């Protein structure tokens, strides 16, 4: 089956700024389920093996979309590097939810998309964003979390928080690129202003969609207890733990293989099976 790949589609969002998306889908006259992948913190659409995963979903008969959040630090001209650290520092949850809405609005208009079958797949922090969006947007019929957080209140605590408030910025070193990545205090102010909206636990309980929760038992960034907690909050959800899998299910940047890592392939197959069953 031939997979059509449309790379670096420009999505306009007047509330934030323009950003890029990719679409992968099989050549067909049928309307296909729309699957949108939501990357996490320090993530982007071309990171690691995400594009290989997108192809796998397209081969399975889905219209699969990846995108860069407008303020994830990448740019239109340079979508695979953190070329705009000022934008990264000015990111917040309101902007990410707005961008995700713009992605849905754009792709539901595609002639190949069945707008009655929309699924979000959120990785890590993108899982928390996807949970909230699923609760807020009744167009979403399915939700899959990969190594998702169970709260978006993941800010510095105690003295570190006081220093952040005083200085207006704190920096996190990117282990891979060695860049000092800024986080401006507006990030917390945005969260505090709309704390009820950003309550992942509440959104999980209230979500009307079919839910699948996937997590690795050796996740070094987001403990597997987050997945177990989400499952308790939404008892109708399905929980699937991958033994010894890490936070990115074996993928890394750069990923030079032409096959998915075993754990990510397992996760993708579980997602495909779930979508076929529920959609």
């Amino acid at each position: 089956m031939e997979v059509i790949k449309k790379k670096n589609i420009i999505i306009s969002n007047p509330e934030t700024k323009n950003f890029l998306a990719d679409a992968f889908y099989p050549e067909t006259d049928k309307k296909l389920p729309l699957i949108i992948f939501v990357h996490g913190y320090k993530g982007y659409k071309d990171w690691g093996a995400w594009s290989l995963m997108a192809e796998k979903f397209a081969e399975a008969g889905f219209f699969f979309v990846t995108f860069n959040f407008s303020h994830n630090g990448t740019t239109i001209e340079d979508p695979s590097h953190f070329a705009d650290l000022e934008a990264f520092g000015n990111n917040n949850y309101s902007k990410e939810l707005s961008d995700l809405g713009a992605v849905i609005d754009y792709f539901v208009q595609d002639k190949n998309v069945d707008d009655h079958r929309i699924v979000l797949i959120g990785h890590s922090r993108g899982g928390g964003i996807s949970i909230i969006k699923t609760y807020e947007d009744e167009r979403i019929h399915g939700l899959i979390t990969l190594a998702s957080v169970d709260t978006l209140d993941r800010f510095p605590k105690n003295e570190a928080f006081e220093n952040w408030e005083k200085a207006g910025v704190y920096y996190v070193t990117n282990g891979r690129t060695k860049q000092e990545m800024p986080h401006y205090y507006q990030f917390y102010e945005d969260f505090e202003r709309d704390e009820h909206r950003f309550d992942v636990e509440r959104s999980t309980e209230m979500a009307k969609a079919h839910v699948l929760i996937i997590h690795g038992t050796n996740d070094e960034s987001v403990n597997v207890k987050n997945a177990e907690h989400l499952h308790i909050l939404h008892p109708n959800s399905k929980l699937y733990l991958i033994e010894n899998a890490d936070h990115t299910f074996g993928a890394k940047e750069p990923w030079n293989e032409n096959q998915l890592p075993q754990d990510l392939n397992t996760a993708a197959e579980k997602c495909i099976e779930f979508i076929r069953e529920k959609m």
Side-chain angles (χ1 to χ4, degrees):
M1 180 188 293
E2 191 190 341
V3 171
I4 296 168
K5 301 176 200 173
K6 291 186 177 173
K7 299 281 287 180
N8 297 329
I9 302 160
I10 295 179
I11 309 288
S12 296
N13 184 0
E15 292 180 359
T16 57
K17 61 177 184 167
N18 291 358
F19 57 94
L20 297 177
D22 297 343
F24 301 74
Y25 55 96
E27 195 166 11
T28 179
D29 296 331
K30 293 179 185 170
K31 284 192 173 288
L32 307 170
L34 172 62
I35 320 298
I36 297 172
F37 177 73
V38 184
H39 72 71
Y41 175 61
K42 290 192 282 192
Y44 46 92
K45 66 181 178 65
D46 297 302
W47 184 93
W50 296 147
S51 292
L52 274 180
M53 182 177 74
E55 288 181 44
K56 184 178 179 78
F57 276 83
E59 286 164 4
F62 302 128
F63 192 107
F64 195 92
V65 169
T66 60
F67 71 97
N68 284 338
F69 280 119
S70 64
H71 285 68
N72 72 345
T74 65
T75 63
I76 300 281
E77 300 74 29
D78 193 355
S80 298
H81 298 95
F82 296 116
D84 189 351
L85 291 181
E86 191 66 14
F88 182 91
N90 280 297
N91 195 16
N92 58 47
Y93 299 139
S94 294
K95 286 173 181 168
E96 292 194 350
L97 284 163
S98 177
D99 289 341
L100 181 49
V103 171
I104 297 169
D105 290 344
Y106 182 92
F107 286 103
V108 291
Q109 298 175 59
D110 193 287
K111 64 180 175 59
N112 291 105
V113 163
D114 180 351
D115 63 2
H116 293 293
R117 291 185 290 170
I118 299 173
V119 180
L120 301 183
I121 301 180
H123 177 251
S124 193
R125 187 169 98 184
I129 293 296
S130 299
I131 289 167
I132 292 166
K133 195 67 184 173
T134 299
Y135 163 59
E136 290 186 346
D137 192 331
E138 61 186 18
R139 294 176 296 179
I140 298 161
H141 309 98
L143 167 68
I144 299 172
T145 64
L146 298 177
S148 178
V149 298
D150 63 358
T151 177
L152 290 177
D153 186 358
R154 294 172 67 85
F155 300 106
K157 305 294 181 203
N158 306 322
E159 191 183 344
F161 181 85
E162 288 169 25
N163 292 339
W164 185 25
E165 187 177 14
K166 232 177 272 175
V169 62
Y170 81 91
Y171 295 89
V172 170
T173 304
N174 186 316
R176 182 176 59 83
T177 68
K178 307 306 177 195
Q179 289 168 291
E180 292 294 316
M181 307 189 77
H183 299 71
Y184 295 117
Y185 189 66
Q186 63 78 31
F187 191 3
Y188 178 75
E189 290 174 318
D190 176 73
F191 175 80
E192 189 182 39
R193 199 161 39 241
D194 226 348
E195 198 167 347
H196 187 64
R197 181 189 188 197
F198 301 135
D199 185 340
V200 172
E201 294 180 344
R202 172 177 158 268
S203 292
T204 304
E205 288 175 328
M206 307 284 280
K208 295 289 193 291
H210 300 290
V211 180
L212 171 63
I213 298 159
I214 298 178
H215 217 104
T217 60
N218 270 3
D219 191 324
E220 71 288 0
S221 299
V222 179
N223 193 287
V224 68
K225 287 177 180 171
N226 285 247
E228 292 160 350
H229 184 211
L230 292 173
H231 181 49
I232 289 165
L233 291 168
H234 195 97
N236 290 330
S237 63
K238 288 193 169 184
L239 175 64
Y240 185 71
L241 302 182
I242 301 178
E243 207 58 44
N244 298 320
D246 64 13
H247 187 58
T248 54
F249 302 94
K252 60 184 181 181
E253 173 65 20
W255 184 256
N256 297 318
E257 312 288 324
N258 56 9
Q259 288 182 317
L260 287 171
Q262 186 179 339
D263 289 337
L264 186 54
N265 190 61
T266 300
E269 286 181 350
K270 201 72 189 172
C271 293
I272 289 165
E273 180 189 310
F274 176 79
I275 296 166
R276 283 180 174 157
E277 182 192 329
K278 299 298 183 184
M279 297 292 128

